[in-house]
Amino acid sequence: MVAARWNCFSFQLVFAISFIFSIAEVCNGGRTSSFVRNSDLSRDMPLDSDVFLVPPGYNAPQQVHITQGDHLGNAVIVSWVTPDEPGSNSVFYWAENSELKNSAQGIVLTYKYFNYTSGFIHHCTIRDLEFDTKYYYEVGIGNSSRRFWFVTPPAIGPDVPYTFGLIGDLGQTHDSNSTLTHYELNPAKGQTLLFLGDLSYADAYPFHDNARWDTWGRFIERNAAYQPWIWTAGNHEIDVVPAIREVIPFKPYTHRYHVPYTASGSTSPLWYSIKRASTYIIVLSSYSAYGINFTI
Ligand SMILES: [Fe+2]
């Protein structure tokens, strides 16, 4: 009996040891890629980087970006910032191959965050657009006006081909720049970008220096002015700092990045849905309840 037990135990021991060795062997996958992560964390691009250049001309619109403006894709929200004065809230737009220029009137707002005061942030929804059509649009006045374009999606349906890109945690480091460039050069040609939260990482700076929200807006303009970015807030958008009496969650984000939440019957920009081509996109920010019980 004792011998039998020992035999059994020794068998288990041998089995356990051989199991551990086999696991160790399985776990040693070897080198699967030539990629070696940079030991130095990528740093933010300096303020004088070309990707942050302010467009020329007095009060020229900057940080231009667009997103879907309704539930089905027939509208676009155009947003931009004028630095010196409110200027015009109008967007002029026209379909390619059309002589008829339309205009839409938007709103302008500003906000303060500790010792920072924003520029004049414009949001204008242009509606009743045709599906699958290229439109040009212009913002700003006179010599400082700027022209961009976008293509509306095809009508919604179950088998409508459409290509989305996905980016999250972008920030404004040198790696951020190569990430955006990879997206732009990808042969799959993303037509709309789903942004998964964590935009500028301005909250990494003392007092969440909101000037880094402005640099980020200028950085992404090269893509976000030409195709919709569908926005979700992440933890880096919370921006609550009681020590400097900043206790309204998502203040910079919600002032700068408008979304079509009312079109889906939502009561908050932190959750909403849109349809686009063959997709039904539901946006949920898991941080939306943050700060509800906050008091100072
Ligand atoms: Fe993140």
Side-chain angles (χ1 to χ4, degrees):
M1 198 66 173
V2 170
R5 268 191 199 157
W6 171 247
N7 281 347
C8 182
F9 175 74
S10 60
F11 172 76
Q12 286 171 342
L13 189 69
V14 169
F15 180 78
I17 289 170
S18 59
F19 183 69
I20 288 166
F21 277 123
S22 68
I23 291 263
E25 200 167 317
V26 168
C27 289
N28 180 12
R31 178 173 288 197
T32 56
S33 164
S34 59
F35 178 77
V36 179
R37 192 171 186 170
N38 196 331
S39 58
D40 186 24
L41 276 173
S42 183
R43 295 178 200 287
D44 274 4
M45 294 179 282
L47 291 172
D48 60 358
S49 302
D50 57 355
V51 296
F52 297 149
L53 270 181
V54 173
Y58 173 73
N59 206 34
Q62 56 170 267
Q63 306 175 49
V64 180
H65 54 92
I66 61 171
T67 195
Q68 184 161 320
D70 66 353
H71 200 50
L72 302 179
N74 299 108
V76 166
I77 302 173
V78 181
S79 302
W80 70 99
V81 174
T82 47
D84 305 308
E85 57 173 282
S88 168
N89 286 337
S90 297
V91 175
F92 293 93
Y93 61 100
W94 62 97
E96 190 182 36
N97 307 324
S98 167
E99 298 294 307
L100 188 67
K101 264 195 184 182
N102 303 291
S103 75
Q105 194 69 9
I107 58 162
V108 62
L109 50 87
T110 62
Y111 74 92
K112 289 182 190 296
Y113 190 96
F114 188 54
N115 59 355
Y116 168 93
T117 302
S118 74
F120 300 92
I121 303 169
H122 303 257
H123 301 286
C124 178
T125 305
I126 56 184
R127 298 182 183 281
D128 301 321
L129 304 172
E130 300 289 330
F131 284 123
D132 223 351
T133 303
K134 183 172 183 178
Y135 285 88
Y136 291 93
Y137 69 99
E138 268 178 10
V139 289
I141 302 171
N143 290 340
S144 306
S145 72
R146 300 182 66 207
R147 181 181 298 187
F148 305 89
W149 54 264
F150 59 81
V151 179
T152 51
I156 56 166
D159 294 310
V160 181
Y162 202 73
T163 307
F164 291 91
L166 295 172
I167 296 181
D169 306 297
L170 184 57
Q172 47 195 301
T173 69
H174 294 279
D175 285 348
S176 315
N177 197 22
S178 70
T179 296
L180 186 53
T181 303
H182 285 153
Y183 176 58
E184 292 170 313
L185 299 182
N186 192 311
K189 288 201 178 300
Q191 295 164 287
T192 289
L193 189 108
L194 306 179
F195 195 90
L196 307 176
D198 293 349
L199 286 68
S200 72
Y201 288 74
D203 62 348
Y205 287 83
F207 313 121
H208 293 207
D209 183 1
N210 276 219
R212 279 288 175 171
W213 276 101
D214 292 312
T215 53
W216 196 78
R218 296 199 292 273
F219 161 50
I220 64 155
E221 182 193 89
R222 72 183 197 231
N223 188 267
Y226 297 93
Q227 64 171 252
W229 286 33
I230 309 302
W231 298 109
T232 319
N235 60 308
H236 289 278
E237 278 66 70
I238 297 173
D239 284 318
V240 167
V241 187
I244 55 171
R245 303 183 75 81
E246 287 298 343
V247 294
I248 301 172
F250 304 102
K251 191 204 270 184
Y253 170 74
T254 53
H255 281 80
R256 291 169 181 272
Y257 293 92
H258 275 194
V259 296
Y261 68 95
T262 54
S264 55
S266 169
T267 53
S268 165
L270 299 174
W271 59 85
Y272 63 98
S273 69
I274 56 167
K275 295 180 177 181
R276 195 166 182 88
S278 45
T279 64
Y280 199 128
I281 297 161
I282 299 172
V283 173
L284 297 170
S285 168
S286 53
Y287 301 96
S288 59
Y290 190 93
I292 277 179
N293 298 317
F294 217 89
T295 51
I296 55 166

